[in-house]
mmCIF file of all heavy atoms in Angstrom:
data_model
loop_
_atom_site.group_PDB
_atom_site.id
_atom_site.type_symbol
_atom_site.label_atom_id
_atom_site.label_comp_id
_atom_site.label_asym_id
_atom_site.label_seq_id
_atom_site.Cartn_x
_atom_site.Cartn_y
_atom_site.Cartn_z
ATOM 1 N N MET A 770 58.974 0.475 8.998
ATOM 2 C CA MET A 770 57.772 0.173 8.248
ATOM 3 C C MET A 770 56.908 -0.776 9.062
ATOM 4 O O MET A 770 57.427 -1.723 9.646
ATOM 5 C CB MET A 770 58.124 -0.512 6.937
ATOM 6 C CG MET A 770 58.221 0.403 5.776
ATOM 7 S SD MET A 770 58.297 -0.466 4.216
ATOM 8 C CE MET A 770 59.934 -1.101 4.244
ATOM 9 N N ARG A 771 55.613 -0.522 9.047
ATOM 10 C CA ARG A 771 54.672 -1.409 9.715
ATOM 11 C C ARG A 771 53.461 -1.626 8.826
ATOM 12 O O ARG A 771 52.901 -0.670 8.302
ATOM 13 C CB ARG A 771 54.187 -0.812 11.019
ATOM 14 C CG ARG A 771 55.226 -0.819 12.073
ATOM 15 C CD ARG A 771 54.573 -0.608 13.398
ATOM 16 N NE ARG A 771 55.622 -0.742 14.394
ATOM 17 C CZ ARG A 771 55.578 -1.609 15.360
ATOM 18 N NH1 ARG A 771 54.551 -2.378 15.517
ATOM 19 N NH2 ARG A 771 56.569 -1.692 16.219
ATOM 20 N N PRO A 772 53.044 -2.885 8.685
ATOM 21 C CA PRO A 772 51.804 -3.138 7.942
ATOM 22 C C PRO A 772 50.608 -2.734 8.800
ATOM 23 O O PRO A 772 50.626 -2.858 10.020
ATOM 24 C CB PRO A 772 51.834 -4.645 7.694
ATOM 25 C CG PRO A 772 52.713 -5.195 8.761
ATOM 26 C CD PRO A 772 53.695 -4.112 9.118
ATOM 27 N N THR A 773 49.579 -2.239 8.145
ATOM 28 C CA THR A 773 48.348 -1.841 8.819
ATOM 29 C C THR A 773 47.245 -1.726 7.783
ATOM 30 O O THR A 773 47.414 -2.167 6.650
ATOM 31 C CB THR A 773 48.557 -0.498 9.573
ATOM 32 O OG1 THR A 773 47.441 -0.258 10.409
ATOM 33 C CG2 THR A 773 48.779 0.660 8.637
ATOM 34 N N GLN A 774 46.131 -1.144 8.153
ATOM 35 C CA GLN A 774 45.072 -0.811 7.205
ATOM 36 C C GLN A 774 44.765 0.663 7.347
ATOM 37 O O GLN A 774 44.698 1.189 8.467
ATOM 38 C CB GLN A 774 43.812 -1.627 7.466
ATOM 39 C CG GLN A 774 43.922 -3.040 6.993
ATOM 40 C CD GLN A 774 42.562 -3.678 6.829
ATOM 41 O OE1 GLN A 774 41.533 -3.125 7.186
ATOM 42 N NE2 GLN A 774 42.562 -4.861 6.272
ATOM 43 N N VAL A 775 44.593 1.319 6.223
ATOM 44 C CA VAL A 775 44.225 2.724 6.190
ATOM 45 C C VAL A 775 43.050 2.856 5.235
ATOM 46 O O VAL A 775 43.123 2.399 4.089
ATOM 47 C CB VAL A 775 45.411 3.610 5.728
ATOM 48 C CG1 VAL A 775 44.983 5.055 5.559
ATOM 49 C CG2 VAL A 775 46.561 3.501 6.713
ATOM 50 N N ASN A 776 41.964 3.443 5.721
ATOM 51 C CA ASN A 776 40.732 3.559 4.923
ATOM 52 C C ASN A 776 40.287 2.199 4.393
ATOM 53 O O ASN A 776 39.809 2.083 3.271
ATOM 54 C CB ASN A 776 40.908 4.557 3.779
ATOM 55 C CG ASN A 776 41.119 5.959 4.262
ATOM 56 O OD1 ASN A 776 40.626 6.342 5.321
ATOM 57 N ND2 ASN A 776 41.857 6.751 3.516
ATOM 58 N N GLY A 777 40.494 1.154 5.181
ATOM 59 C CA GLY A 777 40.059 -0.184 4.797
ATOM 60 C C GLY A 777 40.946 -0.875 3.791
ATOM 61 O O GLY A 777 40.614 -1.949 3.300
ATOM 62 N N ARG A 778 42.079 -0.297 3.476
ATOM 63 C CA ARG A 778 42.996 -0.897 2.500
ATOM 64 C C ARG A 778 44.292 -1.329 3.192
ATOM 65 O O ARG A 778 44.725 -0.697 4.146
ATOM 66 C CB ARG A 778 43.349 0.116 1.407
ATOM 67 C CG ARG A 778 42.165 0.590 0.612
ATOM 68 C CD ARG A 778 42.618 1.460 -0.544
ATOM 69 N NE ARG A 778 41.521 2.120 -1.197
ATOM 70 C CZ ARG A 778 40.696 1.540 -2.050
ATOM 71 N NH1 ARG A 778 40.849 0.277 -2.346
ATOM 72 N NH2 ARG A 778 39.721 2.207 -2.611
ATOM 73 N N PRO A 779 44.927 -2.394 2.674
ATOM 74 C CA PRO A 779 46.232 -2.774 3.201
ATOM 75 C C PRO A 779 47.214 -1.629 2.970
ATOM 76 O O PRO A 779 47.174 -0.968 1.923
ATOM 77 C CB PRO A 779 46.635 -3.997 2.383
ATOM 78 C CG PRO A 779 45.469 -4.367 1.552
ATOM 79 C CD PRO A 779 44.495 -3.247 1.581
ATOM 80 N N ALA A 780 48.060 -1.380 3.962
ATOM 81 C CA ALA A 780 48.975 -0.243 3.851
ATOM 82 C C ALA A 780 50.247 -0.496 4.637
ATOM 83 O O ALA A 780 50.312 -1.389 5.480
ATOM 84 C CB ALA A 780 48.289 1.017 4.373
ATOM 85 N N LEU A 781 51.246 0.314 4.332
ATOM 86 C CA LEU A 781 52.491 0.367 5.098
ATOM 87 C C LEU A 781 52.639 1.783 5.621
ATOM 88 O O LEU A 781 52.434 2.750 4.887
ATOM 89 C CB LEU A 781 53.701 0.041 4.228
ATOM 90 C CG LEU A 781 53.869 -1.401 3.790
ATOM 91 C CD1 LEU A 781 55.044 -1.498 2.809
ATOM 92 C CD2 LEU A 781 54.115 -2.302 4.986
ATOM 93 N N VAL A 782 52.988 1.899 6.883
ATOM 94 C CA VAL A 782 53.252 3.196 7.494
ATOM 95 C C VAL A 782 54.757 3.288 7.710
ATOM 96 O O VAL A 782 55.344 2.425 8.357
ATOM 97 C CB VAL A 782 52.490 3.351 8.823
ATOM 98 C CG1 VAL A 782 52.895 4.629 9.528
ATOM 99 C CG2 VAL A 782 50.982 3.319 8.582
ATOM 100 N N LEU A 783 55.372 4.310 7.146
ATOM 101 C CA LEU A 783 56.811 4.517 7.276
ATOM 102 C C LEU A 783 57.051 5.657 8.254
ATOM 103 O O LEU A 783 56.461 6.721 8.119
ATOM 104 C CB LEU A 783 57.424 4.872 5.923
ATOM 105 C CG LEU A 783 57.466 3.737 4.910
ATOM 106 C CD1 LEU A 783 56.135 3.586 4.206
ATOM 107 C CD2 LEU A 783 58.554 3.982 3.922
ATOM 108 N N ARG A 784 57.919 5.393 9.227
ATOM 109 C CA ARG A 784 58.243 6.395 10.248
ATOM 110 C C ARG A 784 59.735 6.691 10.224
ATOM 111 O O ARG A 784 60.543 5.811 9.952
ATOM 112 C CB ARG A 784 57.886 5.871 11.634
ATOM 113 C CG ARG A 784 56.423 5.623 11.848
ATOM 114 C CD ARG A 784 56.209 4.995 13.227
ATOM 115 N NE ARG A 784 54.845 4.564 13.402
ATOM 116 C CZ ARG A 784 53.948 5.205 14.128
ATOM 117 N NH1 ARG A 784 54.274 6.302 14.768
ATOM 118 N NH2 ARG A 784 52.718 4.749 14.233
ATOM 119 N N THR A 785 60.058 7.928 10.558
ATOM 120 C CA THR A 785 61.444 8.348 10.770
ATOM 121 C C THR A 785 61.466 9.091 12.098
ATOM 122 O O THR A 785 60.694 10.041 12.272
ATOM 123 C CB THR A 785 61.932 9.257 9.629
ATOM 124 O OG1 THR A 785 61.904 8.528 8.408
ATOM 125 C CG2 THR A 785 63.352 9.737 9.881
ATOM 126 N N GLY A 786 62.301 8.638 13.011
ATOM 127 C CA GLY A 786 62.369 9.280 14.313
ATOM 128 C C GLY A 786 61.049 9.265 15.057
ATOM 129 O O GLY A 786 60.733 10.188 15.778
ATOM 130 N N GLY A 787 60.238 8.223 14.833
ATOM 131 C CA GLY A 787 58.952 8.091 15.507
ATOM 132 C C GLY A 787 57.810 8.829 14.843
ATOM 133 O O GLY A 787 56.652 8.656 15.216
ATOM 134 N N GLU A 788 58.094 9.657 13.849
ATOM 135 C CA GLU A 788 57.061 10.418 13.153
ATOM 136 C C GLU A 788 56.684 9.725 11.845
ATOM 137 O O GLU A 788 57.548 9.234 11.118
ATOM 138 C CB GLU A 788 57.552 11.827 12.826
ATOM 139 C CG GLU A 788 57.797 12.684 14.036
ATOM 140 C CD GLU A 788 56.510 13.011 14.788
ATOM 141 O OE1 GLU A 788 55.492 13.303 14.136
ATOM 142 O OE2 GLU A 788 56.549 12.954 16.026
ATOM 143 N N ILE A 789 55.384 9.700 11.547
ATOM 144 C CA ILE A 789 54.931 9.143 10.273
ATOM 145 C C ILE A 789 55.355 10.087 9.161
ATOM 146 O O ILE A 789 55.052 11.279 9.198
ATOM 147 C CB ILE A 789 53.407 8.950 10.255
ATOM 148 C CG1 ILE A 789 52.981 7.933 11.316
ATOM 149 C CG2 ILE A 789 52.940 8.509 8.862
ATOM 150 C CD1 ILE A 789 51.480 7.782 11.471
ATOM 151 N N VAL A 790 56.070 9.542 8.163
ATOM 152 C CA VAL A 790 56.524 10.358 7.042
ATOM 153 C C VAL A 790 55.849 9.969 5.731
ATOM 154 O O VAL A 790 55.771 10.786 4.816
ATOM 155 C CB VAL A 790 58.061 10.316 6.882
ATOM 156 C CG1 VAL A 790 58.745 10.985 8.062
ATOM 157 C CG2 VAL A 790 58.573 8.912 6.690
ATOM 158 N N THR A 791 55.371 8.734 5.639
ATOM 159 C CA THR A 791 54.720 8.268 4.419
ATOM 160 C C THR A 791 53.741 7.160 4.762
ATOM 161 O O THR A 791 54.017 6.328 5.625
ATOM 162 C CB THR A 791 55.744 7.706 3.401
ATOM 163 O OG1 THR A 791 56.733 8.700 3.135
ATOM 164 C CG2 THR A 791 55.097 7.288 2.097
ATOM 165 N N VAL A 792 52.619 7.149 4.069
ATOM 166 C CA VAL A 792 51.692 6.029 4.124
ATOM 167 C C VAL A 792 51.526 5.523 2.692
ATOM 168 O O VAL A 792 51.212 6.298 1.787
ATOM 169 C CB VAL A 792 50.317 6.422 4.705
ATOM 170 C CG1 VAL A 792 49.324 5.280 4.570
ATOM 171 C CG2 VAL A 792 50.454 6.834 6.164
ATOM 172 N N LEU A 793 51.790 4.234 2.499
ATOM 173 C CA LEU A 793 51.586 3.585 1.205
ATOM 174 C C LEU A 793 50.421 2.622 1.348
ATOM 175 O O LEU A 793 50.465 1.711 2.168
ATOM 176 C CB LEU A 793 52.831 2.801 0.786
ATOM 177 C CG LEU A 793 54.101 3.604 0.552
ATOM 178 C CD1 LEU A 793 55.277 2.662 0.344
ATOM 179 C CD2 LEU A 793 53.934 4.504 -0.652
ATOM 180 N N ALA A 794 49.369 2.837 0.557
ATOM 181 C CA ALA A 794 48.214 1.951 0.580
ATOM 182 C C ALA A 794 48.011 1.390 -0.820
ATOM 183 O O ALA A 794 48.423 2.003 -1.812
ATOM 184 C CB ALA A 794 46.966 2.710 1.035
ATOM 185 N N VAL A 795 47.380 0.218 -0.899
ATOM 186 C CA VAL A 795 47.169 -0.413 -2.199
ATOM 187 C C VAL A 795 45.701 -0.771 -2.395
ATOM 188 O O VAL A 795 44.973 -0.994 -1.443
ATOM 189 C CB VAL A 795 48.026 -1.693 -2.367
ATOM 190 C CG1 VAL A 795 49.498 -1.365 -2.321
ATOM 191 C CG2 VAL A 795 47.682 -2.739 -1.331
ATOM 192 N N ARG A 796 45.293 -0.798 -3.650
ATOM 193 C CA ARG A 796 43.987 -1.339 -4.018
ATOM 194 C C ARG A 796 44.253 -2.692 -4.648
ATOM 195 O O ARG A 796 45.088 -2.820 -5.556
ATOM 196 C CB ARG A 796 43.256 -0.455 -5.026
ATOM 197 C CG ARG A 796 41.886 -1.043 -5.356
ATOM 198 C CD ARG A 796 41.152 -0.356 -6.476
ATOM 199 N NE ARG A 796 41.203 1.078 -6.405
ATOM 200 C CZ ARG A 796 40.901 1.865 -7.430
ATOM 201 N NH1 ARG A 796 40.544 1.349 -8.594
ATOM 202 N NH2 ARG A 796 40.974 3.166 -7.310
ATOM 203 N N LEU A 797 43.564 -3.709 -4.142
ATOM 204 C CA LEU A 797 43.715 -5.064 -4.667
ATOM 205 C C LEU A 797 42.481 -5.445 -5.472
ATOM 206 O O LEU A 797 41.355 -5.195 -5.037
ATOM 207 C CB LEU A 797 43.890 -6.059 -3.517
ATOM 208 C CG LEU A 797 45.111 -5.843 -2.626
ATOM 209 C CD1 LEU A 797 45.050 -6.762 -1.411
ATOM 210 C CD2 LEU A 797 46.378 -6.078 -3.410
ATOM 211 N N GLU A 798 42.702 -6.031 -6.629
ATOM 212 C CA GLU A 798 41.620 -6.549 -7.459
ATOM 213 C C GLU A 798 42.067 -7.889 -8.016
ATOM 214 O O GLU A 798 43.108 -7.973 -8.661
ATOM 215 C CB GLU A 798 41.279 -5.581 -8.591
ATOM 216 C CG GLU A 798 40.691 -4.266 -8.093
ATOM 217 C CD GLU A 798 40.427 -3.269 -9.208
ATOM 218 O OE1 GLU A 798 40.522 -3.636 -10.399
ATOM 219 O OE2 GLU A 798 40.132 -2.112 -8.882
ATOM 220 N N GLY A 799 41.321 -8.921 -7.708
ATOM 221 C CA GLY A 799 41.670 -10.251 -8.199
ATOM 222 C C GLY A 799 43.013 -10.728 -7.688
ATOM 223 O O GLY A 799 43.718 -11.448 -8.388
ATOM 224 N N GLY A 800 43.388 -10.308 -6.476
ATOM 225 C CA GLY A 800 44.651 -10.721 -5.903
ATOM 226 C C GLY A 800 45.854 -9.955 -6.431
ATOM 227 O O GLY A 800 46.991 -10.267 -6.085
ATOM 228 N N LEU A 801 45.613 -8.951 -7.275
ATOM 229 C CA LEU A 801 46.701 -8.156 -7.835
ATOM 230 C C LEU A 801 46.617 -6.721 -7.342
ATOM 231 O O LEU A 801 45.526 -6.179 -7.141
ATOM 232 C CB LEU A 801 46.624 -8.149 -9.367
ATOM 233 C CG LEU A 801 46.722 -9.502 -10.053
ATOM 234 C CD1 LEU A 801 46.462 -9.352 -11.543
ATOM 235 C CD2 LEU A 801 48.082 -10.127 -9.805
ATOM 236 N N ILE A 802 47.754 -6.089 -7.162
ATOM 237 C CA ILE A 802 47.779 -4.664 -6.827
ATOM 238 C C ILE A 802 47.488 -3.889 -8.100
ATOM 239 O O ILE A 802 48.206 -4.008 -9.087
ATOM 240 C CB ILE A 802 49.144 -4.248 -6.256
ATOM 241 C CG1 ILE A 802 49.392 -4.968 -4.926
ATOM 242 C CG2 ILE A 802 49.221 -2.725 -6.082
ATOM 243 C CD1 ILE A 802 50.781 -4.763 -4.365
ATOM 244 N N THR A 803 46.403 -3.104 -8.073
ATOM 245 C CA THR A 803 46.032 -2.320 -9.253
ATOM 246 C C THR A 803 46.300 -0.831 -9.079
ATOM 247 O O THR A 803 46.411 -0.115 -10.063
ATOM 248 C CB THR A 803 44.548 -2.536 -9.615
ATOM 249 O OG1 THR A 803 43.743 -2.167 -8.497
ATOM 250 C CG2 THR A 803 44.286 -3.989 -9.990
ATOM 251 N N VAL A 804 46.377 -0.376 -7.841
ATOM 252 C CA VAL A 804 46.663 1.039 -7.579
ATOM 253 C C VAL A 804 47.527 1.130 -6.332
ATOM 254 O O VAL A 804 47.301 0.414 -5.359
ATOM 255 C CB VAL A 804 45.362 1.854 -7.358
ATOM 256 C CG1 VAL A 804 45.681 3.305 -7.046
ATOM 257 C CG2 VAL A 804 44.440 1.769 -8.564
ATOM 258 N N LEU A 805 48.503 2.012 -6.364
ATOM 259 C CA LEU A 805 49.348 2.292 -5.212
ATOM 260 C C LEU A 805 49.139 3.754 -4.842
ATOM 261 O O LEU A 805 49.287 4.648 -5.669
ATOM 262 C CB LEU A 805 50.821 2.052 -5.562
ATOM 263 C CG LEU A 805 51.846 2.382 -4.494
ATOM 264 C CD1 LEU A 805 51.692 1.476 -3.288
ATOM 265 C CD2 LEU A 805 53.245 2.284 -5.067
ATOM 266 N N TYR A 806 48.744 3.984 -3.597
ATOM 267 C CA TYR A 806 48.538 5.337 -3.086
ATOM 268 C C TYR A 806 49.696 5.667 -2.156
ATOM 269 O O TYR A 806 49.986 4.892 -1.256
ATOM 270 C CB TYR A 806 47.240 5.426 -2.278
ATOM 271 C CG TYR A 806 45.995 5.075 -3.033
ATOM 272 C CD1 TYR A 806 45.480 3.782 -2.981
ATOM 273 C CD2 TYR A 806 45.321 6.030 -3.776
ATOM 274 C CE1 TYR A 806 44.326 3.455 -3.661
ATOM 275 C CE2 TYR A 806 44.158 5.709 -4.456
ATOM 276 C CZ TYR A 806 43.670 4.417 -4.400
ATOM 277 O OH TYR A 806 42.530 4.085 -5.074
ATOM 278 N N ALA A 807 50.344 6.803 -2.353
ATOM 279 C CA ALA A 807 51.413 7.259 -1.469
ATOM 280 C C ALA A 807 51.025 8.636 -0.941
ATOM 281 O O ALA A 807 50.755 9.541 -1.720
ATOM 282 C CB ALA A 807 52.737 7.332 -2.216
ATOM 283 N N VAL A 808 50.993 8.767 0.382
ATOM 284 C CA VAL A 808 50.651 10.041 1.004
ATOM 285 C C VAL A 808 51.855 10.518 1.797
ATOM 286 O O VAL A 808 52.359 9.794 2.656
ATOM 287 C CB VAL A 808 49.420 9.900 1.927
ATOM 288 C CG1 VAL A 808 49.114 11.227 2.613
ATOM 289 C CG2 VAL A 808 48.218 9.398 1.151
ATOM 290 N N ARG A 809 52.307 11.735 1.494
ATOM 291 C CA ARG A 809 53.439 12.329 2.205
ATOM 292 C C ARG A 809 53.099 13.716 2.715
ATOM 293 O O ARG A 809 53.909 14.347 3.369
ATOM 294 C CB ARG A 809 54.655 12.402 1.283
ATOM 295 C CG ARG A 809 55.068 11.002 0.823
ATOM 296 C CD ARG A 809 56.491 10.905 0.438
ATOM 297 N NE ARG A 809 57.316 11.201 1.600
ATOM 298 C CZ ARG A 809 58.525 11.719 1.512
ATOM 299 N NH1 ARG A 809 59.055 12.012 0.358
ATOM 300 N NH2 ARG A 809 59.232 11.968 2.595
ATOM 301 N N ASN A 810 51.902 14.204 2.435
ATOM 302 C CA ASN A 810 51.472 15.528 2.869
ATOM 303 C C ASN A 810 51.383 15.552 4.395
ATOM 304 O O ASN A 810 50.567 14.855 4.982
ATOM 305 C CB ASN A 810 50.122 15.842 2.240
ATOM 306 C CG ASN A 810 49.563 17.184 2.635
ATOM 307 O OD1 ASN A 810 49.813 17.691 3.716
ATOM 308 N ND2 ASN A 810 48.772 17.758 1.753
ATOM 309 N N PRO A 811 52.209 16.361 5.074
ATOM 310 C CA PRO A 811 52.213 16.374 6.545
ATOM 311 C C PRO A 811 50.846 16.679 7.153
ATOM 312 O O PRO A 811 50.501 16.130 8.197
ATOM 313 C CB PRO A 811 53.232 17.464 6.890
ATOM 314 C CG PRO A 811 54.087 17.593 5.688
ATOM 315 C CD PRO A 811 53.214 17.259 4.513
ATOM 316 N N GLU A 812 50.052 17.540 6.510
ATOM 317 C CA GLU A 812 48.723 17.862 7.038
ATOM 318 C C GLU A 812 47.817 16.629 7.037
ATOM 319 O O GLU A 812 47.116 16.365 8.001
ATOM 320 C CB GLU A 812 48.099 18.985 6.224
ATOM 321 C CG GLU A 812 46.787 19.480 6.808
ATOM 322 C CD GLU A 812 46.255 20.671 6.058
ATOM 323 O OE1 GLU A 812 47.025 21.638 5.855
ATOM 324 O OE2 GLU A 812 45.076 20.628 5.674
ATOM 325 N N LYS A 813 47.842 15.860 5.961
ATOM 326 C CA LYS A 813 47.031 14.636 5.895
ATOM 327 C C LYS A 813 47.570 13.574 6.845
ATOM 328 O O LYS A 813 46.804 12.852 7.477
ATOM 329 C CB LYS A 813 46.981 14.104 4.469
ATOM 330 C CG LYS A 813 46.183 14.973 3.542
ATOM 331 C CD LYS A 813 46.108 14.381 2.167
ATOM 332 C CE LYS A 813 45.254 15.258 1.269
ATOM 333 N NZ LYS A 813 45.097 14.681 -0.059
ATOM 334 N N LEU A 814 48.886 13.464 6.954
ATOM 335 C CA LEU A 814 49.474 12.452 7.829
ATOM 336 C C LEU A 814 49.192 12.741 9.298
ATOM 337 O O LEU A 814 49.075 11.821 10.097
ATOM 338 C CB LEU A 814 50.981 12.342 7.591
ATOM 339 C CG LEU A 814 51.383 11.789 6.224
ATOM 340 C CD1 LEU A 814 52.890 11.853 6.056
ATOM 341 C CD2 LEU A 814 50.866 10.384 6.021
ATOM 342 N N SER A 815 49.045 13.996 9.670
ATOM 343 C CA SER A 815 48.755 14.326 11.065
ATOM 344 C C SER A 815 47.406 13.766 11.482
ATOM 345 O O SER A 815 47.193 13.422 12.635
ATOM 346 C CB SER A 815 48.800 15.835 11.286
ATOM 347 O OG SER A 815 47.715 16.474 10.641
ATOM 348 N N ARG A 816 46.465 13.620 10.536
ATOM 349 C CA ARG A 816 45.159 13.035 10.850
ATOM 350 C C ARG A 816 45.258 11.545 11.110
ATOM 351 O O ARG A 816 44.442 10.985 11.827
ATOM 352 C CB ARG A 816 44.173 13.316 9.720
ATOM 353 C CG ARG A 816 43.814 14.789 9.636
ATOM 354 C CD ARG A 816 42.706 15.003 8.672
ATOM 355 N NE ARG A 816 43.137 14.679 7.326
ATOM 356 C CZ ARG A 816 43.009 15.479 6.288
ATOM 357 N NH1 ARG A 816 42.461 16.653 6.432
ATOM 358 N NH2 ARG A 816 43.419 15.118 5.104
ATOM 359 N N ILE A 817 46.248 10.875 10.543
ATOM 360 C CA ILE A 817 46.439 9.441 10.786
ATOM 361 C C ILE A 817 46.634 9.203 12.274
ATOM 362 O O ILE A 817 46.048 8.311 12.859
ATOM 363 C CB ILE A 817 47.647 8.889 9.997
ATOM 364 C CG1 ILE A 817 47.424 8.991 8.501
ATOM 365 C CG2 ILE A 817 47.970 7.463 10.402
ATOM 366 C CD1 ILE A 817 46.384 8.053 7.935
ATOM 367 N N HIS A 818 47.449 10.022 12.926
ATOM 368 C CA HIS A 818 47.687 9.895 14.373
ATOM 369 C C HIS A 818 46.394 10.065 15.158
ATOM 370 O O HIS A 818 46.145 9.359 16.118
ATOM 371 C CB HIS A 818 48.679 10.953 14.856
ATOM 372 C CG HIS A 818 50.094 10.637 14.563
ATOM 373 N ND1 HIS A 818 50.758 9.574 15.131
ATOM 374 C CD2 HIS A 818 50.987 11.242 13.748
ATOM 375 C CE1 HIS A 818 51.998 9.553 14.692
ATOM 376 N NE2 HIS A 818 52.161 10.554 13.852
ATOM 377 N N ARG A 819 45.565 11.027 14.776
ATOM 378 C CA ARG A 819 44.365 11.346 15.545
ATOM 379 C C ARG A 819 43.222 10.372 15.301
ATOM 380 O O ARG A 819 42.452 10.087 16.193
ATOM 381 C CB ARG A 819 43.891 12.763 15.202
ATOM 382 C CG ARG A 819 44.841 13.836 15.693
ATOM 383 C CD ARG A 819 44.218 15.214 15.609
ATOM 384 N NE ARG A 819 43.600 15.507 14.328
ATOM 385 C CZ ARG A 819 44.162 16.175 13.345
ATOM 386 N NH1 ARG A 819 45.402 16.600 13.469
ATOM 387 N NH2 ARG A 819 43.533 16.419 12.227
ATOM 388 N N GLU A 820 43.078 9.856 14.068
ATOM 389 C CA GLU A 820 41.883 9.114 13.710
ATOM 390 C C GLU A 820 42.060 7.610 13.626
ATOM 391 O O GLU A 820 41.093 6.872 13.678
ATOM 392 C CB GLU A 820 41.354 9.621 12.355
ATOM 393 C CG GLU A 820 40.956 11.067 12.400
ATOM 394 C CD GLU A 820 40.585 11.601 11.026
ATOM 395 O OE1 GLU A 820 40.546 10.819 10.072
ATOM 396 O OE2 GLU A 820 40.349 12.801 10.923
ATOM 397 N N THR A 821 43.281 7.139 13.458
ATOM 398 C CA THR A 821 43.498 5.730 13.150
ATOM 399 C C THR A 821 44.569 5.137 14.057
ATOM 400 O O THR A 821 45.624 5.724 14.219
ATOM 401 C CB THR A 821 43.966 5.567 11.679
ATOM 402 O OG1 THR A 821 43.023 6.218 10.848
ATOM 403 C CG2 THR A 821 44.076 4.111 11.302
ATOM 404 N N ALA A 822 44.278 3.974 14.595
ATOM 405 C CA ALA A 822 45.320 3.224 15.292
ATOM 406 C C ALA A 822 46.162 2.572 14.203
ATOM 407 O O ALA A 822 45.685 1.690 13.508
ATOM 408 C CB ALA A 822 44.708 2.193 16.213
ATOM 409 N N VAL A 823 47.383 3.021 14.032
ATOM 410 C CA VAL A 823 48.185 2.526 12.920
ATOM 411 C C VAL A 823 49.059 1.344 13.291
ATOM 412 O O VAL A 823 49.760 0.823 12.458
ATOM 413 C CB VAL A 823 49.037 3.662 12.289
ATOM 414 C CG1 VAL A 823 48.163 4.682 11.634
ATOM 415 C CG2 VAL A 823 49.954 4.287 13.306
ATOM 416 N N ASP A 824 49.013 0.915 14.527
ATOM 417 C CA ASP A 824 49.762 -0.276 14.920
ATOM 418 C C ASP A 824 48.819 -1.473 14.940
ATOM 419 O O ASP A 824 47.629 -1.323 15.190
ATOM 420 C CB ASP A 824 50.375 -0.078 16.314
ATOM 421 C CG ASP A 824 51.457 0.960 16.294
ATOM 422 O OD1 ASP A 824 51.141 2.158 16.273
ATOM 423 O OD2 ASP A 824 52.622 0.563 16.258
ATOM 424 N N ARG A 825 49.385 -2.639 14.693
ATOM 425 C CA ARG A 825 48.575 -3.858 14.666
ATOM 426 C C ARG A 825 48.136 -4.224 16.052
ATOM 427 O O ARG A 825 48.711 -4.059 17.020
ATOM 428 C CB ARG A 825 49.362 -5.007 14.072
ATOM 429 C CG ARG A 825 49.601 -4.795 12.602
ATOM 430 C CD ARG A 825 50.358 -5.924 12.073
ATOM 431 N NE ARG A 825 49.376 -6.811 11.462
ATOM 432 C CZ ARG A 825 49.673 -7.829 10.712
ATOM 433 N NH1 ARG A 825 50.897 -8.148 10.522
ATOM 434 N NH2 ARG A 825 48.760 -8.568 10.183
#
């Protein structure tokens, strides 16, 4: 797991064997997590590699 930002939101990127398997992002309001987004769709995750530097 690595902390990062995805679409401007705080997120965790989970990898297995070097491949991204899940991205968890949160929406914060008033210092509280109000929404948790989990993406596991391989087609969407493949764009993370191409469009976003996911390492700090």
Side-chain angles (χ1 to χ4, degrees):
M770 265 192 286
R771 288 197 175 238
T773 191
Q774 284 199 353
V775 174
N776 295 330
R778 299 187 190 282
L781 288 174
V782 173
L783 290 82
R784 296 175 188 256
T785 298
E788 294 293 318
I789 297 174
V790 293
T791 304
V792 172
L793 297 172
V795 297
R796 181 188 316 164
L797 299 171
E798 294 177 10
L801 300 173
I802 296 173
T803 58
V804 178
L805 176 65
Y806 300 95
V808 178
R809 299 205 62 208
N810 179 330
E812 186 175 309
K813 290 183 178 183
L814 293 175
S815 69
R816 291 189 294 232
I817 296 290
H818 281 294
R819 292 192 311 263
E820 298 174 5
T821 306
V823 294
D824 292 78
R825 291 180 98 169

